[in-house]
Amino acid sequence: MDKIRIVGGTPLKGEIRIGGAKNSALKLMCTSILTDGDLVLENVPRLADIRTTAQLLESMGVGVTFAEPEGEDAPQRLTLGGGSLNSTLADYDIVRKMRAGVLVLGPLLAKHGKARVSLPGGCAIGTRPVDLHLKGLQQLGAEIDLDGGYIVAAAPNGLIGAEVTFPFVSVGATENLIMAATLAKGTTRLVNAAREPEIVDLANCLIAMGARISGAGSDTIEIEGVDSLSGATHTVMPDRIETGTYAMAVAATRGDAVLVGALPETLGAAIASMAAAGVIVDHVPNGMRIRCGALVGTDVMTEPYPGFPTDLQAQMMALMVTAQGASMLTETIFENRFMHVPELMRMGANINLHGRSAMVRGVPRLTGAPVMATDLRASVALVIAGLAAQGETMVNRIYHLDRGYERLDRKLAACGAQIERVAG
Ligand SMILES: CC(=O)N[C@H]1[C@@H](OP(=O)(O)OP(=O)(O)OC[C@H]2O[C@@H](n3ccc(=O)[nH]c3=O)[C@H](O)[C@@H]2O)O[C@H](CO)[C@@H](O)[C@@H]1O
Ligand SMILES: C=C(OP(=O)(O)O)C(=O)O
């Protein structure tokens, strides 16, 4: 198994190009099931989760073509043809690898009236049930059973629009319901919907395919069902979590770099927290410039968008461990998202866990150590810590990183980091 070896202490300087958003592209790919036309996606990141989703769609008969890239750094174009779909089974062996696998359920039910979809995998950051997805689809008229680890769903007479009020915010349930409702009869109203920018990206793609959707980006979304959707061409939005990750890496190494293509307006809460901690964030014509003043401890609480993203909590902790003073990081979305804490402590961080809060007391410096990556964002937090630490850090189990970060080692090395991938 590959590892990442880092010799820390070099400030990151230069430019880092931000890729297309994983958590948008995966759902956009699932919309191909809703149309017989061709869906062309531009700016698709080169990630393991993208390949897994492509494999899942191909296993159901969807035509999947990656355009021959102009160079290994060029963004990918992906063409998906849902018209050739010949199976409504989403197999355990593929879906267990990632959370987004369950996002084929809504489109399959809406277009084909049935689905057999394995309960999904993804990062082991909590129990992550899918009850809100299932209850919402039932409210649109779907019959749903669980059988041997599979969701077995049917809507033989088609889905019917309804008002669905989510008891709490779920990104995935909102996305599944939006996709399902595009082809339902009548109007669907989603109340207490997720407001993440990826939801807006999904709605914009569906609108380009002929769907009637209003309110995406607010907590109430209305979808008026149509008889069919056409193909479309859509560009995947820039990855705000990749952006926040590199911003924190630059700050943690006290560097100075431009994140090319970043969309600062999708990162308001994270930018505010970084600014409060002493990170200087400038909006520049081609993205965001990150520099660092004196770092001071800052409290952060994760919340659904527009709050501070849970997907940046581990990276923020890696930044706060060498800030002056104390910070309290509180995780409200996932019950098991502090697995980076013991690993950061192995590098000399001073952290106390109290339930869903971590009290970080800043130390002058970290020291490199062998550490174990446990999930995607925890893994990259260890990379950030390694870049800032004195001496050598070896990050083990880096397959998690390949799910969400494209050419991480090369992007960081181009900014001066001493980092290499070591074949294991
Ligand atoms: C592929 C993808 O886009 N993943 C993102 C998505 O995950 P995902 O869509 O899985 O996250 P949700 O917003 O659905 O989960 C939020 C909370 O609701 C709970 N829940 C969710 C659904 C449900 O039916 N029942 C239930 O109890 C979850 O366990 C969690 O505690 O949004 C999360 C929150 O921003 C991000 O951290 C993930 O990176
Ligand atoms: C938790 C994440 O991904 P997933 O939902 O696919 O596990 C993530 O992107 O941080």
Side-chain angles (χ1 to χ4, degrees), residues 377-390:
R377 309 303 171 185
S379 312
V380 86
L382 299 177
V383 171
I384 294 175
L387 292 169
Q390 270 187 346

Side-chain angles (χ1 to χ4, degrees), residues 22-24 26-27 49 98-103 121 123 125-135 168-175 194 196 198 240-241 303-305 309-312 331-335 337 376-377 403:
K22 163 182 93 85
N23 285 347
S24 194
L26 297 174
K27 332 308 169 53
D49 274 14
M98 39 148 219
R99 183 74 183 164
V102 77
L103 270 302
C123 282
I125 50 183
T127 48
R128 309 189 78 180
V130 289
D131 54 324
L132 300 190
H133 302 234
L134 305 188
K135 279 186 197 139
F168 51 89
V169 173
S170 162
V171 174
T174 302
E175 292 165 337
E196 269 65 7
E198 292 77 14
R240 66 192 169 100
I241 305 302
E303 287 173 326
Y305 193 86
T310 172
D311 290 351
L312 286 174
E331 173 58 55
T332 73
I333 310 289
F334 291 107
E335 70 274 18
R337 210 167 196 184
L376 172 55
R377 309 303 171 185
R403 284 191 46 218

Side-chain angles (χ1 to χ4, degrees), residues 80-169:
L80 299 154
S84 51
L85 188 139
N86 54 25
S87 159
T88 53
L89 169 71
D91 195 76
Y92 169 76
D93 274 340
I94 308 176
V95 178
R96 71 182 168 81
K97 295 182 190 159
M98 39 148 219
R99 183 74 183 164
V102 77
L103 270 302
V104 298
L105 179 61
L108 283 173
L109 268 176
K111 180 82 165 48
H112 298 278
K114 61 178 183 162
R116 186 176 170 86
V117 177
S118 169
L119 286 162
C123 282
I125 50 183
T127 48
R128 309 189 78 180
V130 289
D131 54 324
L132 300 190
H133 302 234
L134 305 188
K135 279 186 197 139
L137 292 169
Q138 280 169 327
Q139 284 174 268
L140 299 198
E143 294 156 17
I144 296 187
D145 285 312
L146 291 182
D147 173 35
Y150 280 80
I151 303 159
V152 184
N157 301 316
L159 296 170
I160 297 159
E163 175 153 323
V164 176
T165 301
F166 296 110
F168 51 89
V169 173

Side-chain angles (χ1 to χ4, degrees), residues 266-351:
T266 61
L267 266 174
I271 290 175
S273 295
M274 286 191 286
V279 181
I280 303 160
V281 181
D282 290 318
H283 299 199
V284 291
N286 59 345
M288 245 163 87
R289 179 179 176 196
I290 307 293
R291 287 171 291 158
C292 198
L295 266 188
V296 290
T298 302
D299 294 347
V300 163
M301 184 186 287
T302 64
E303 287 173 326
Y305 193 86
F308 188 97
T310 172
D311 290 351
L312 286 174
Q313 176 259 111
Q315 301 90 314
M316 186 70 185
M317 194 180 296
L319 181 60
M320 289 296 89
V321 290
T322 57
Q324 219 173 43
S327 336
M328 176 84 89
L329 286 94
T330 303
E331 173 58 55
T332 73
I333 310 289
F334 291 107
E335 70 274 18
N336 189 25
R337 210 167 196 184
F338 280 136
M339 286 179 292
H340 41 287
V341 168
E343 301 304 302
L344 289 171
M345 289 171 72
R346 289 167 52 71
M347 300 176 73
N350 181 346
I351 308 171

Side-chain angles (χ1 to χ4, degrees), residues 214-227:
S214 61
S218 79
D219 62 3
T220 306
I221 302 176
E222 270 196 11
I223 306 113
E224 201 188 312
V226 295
D227 291 339

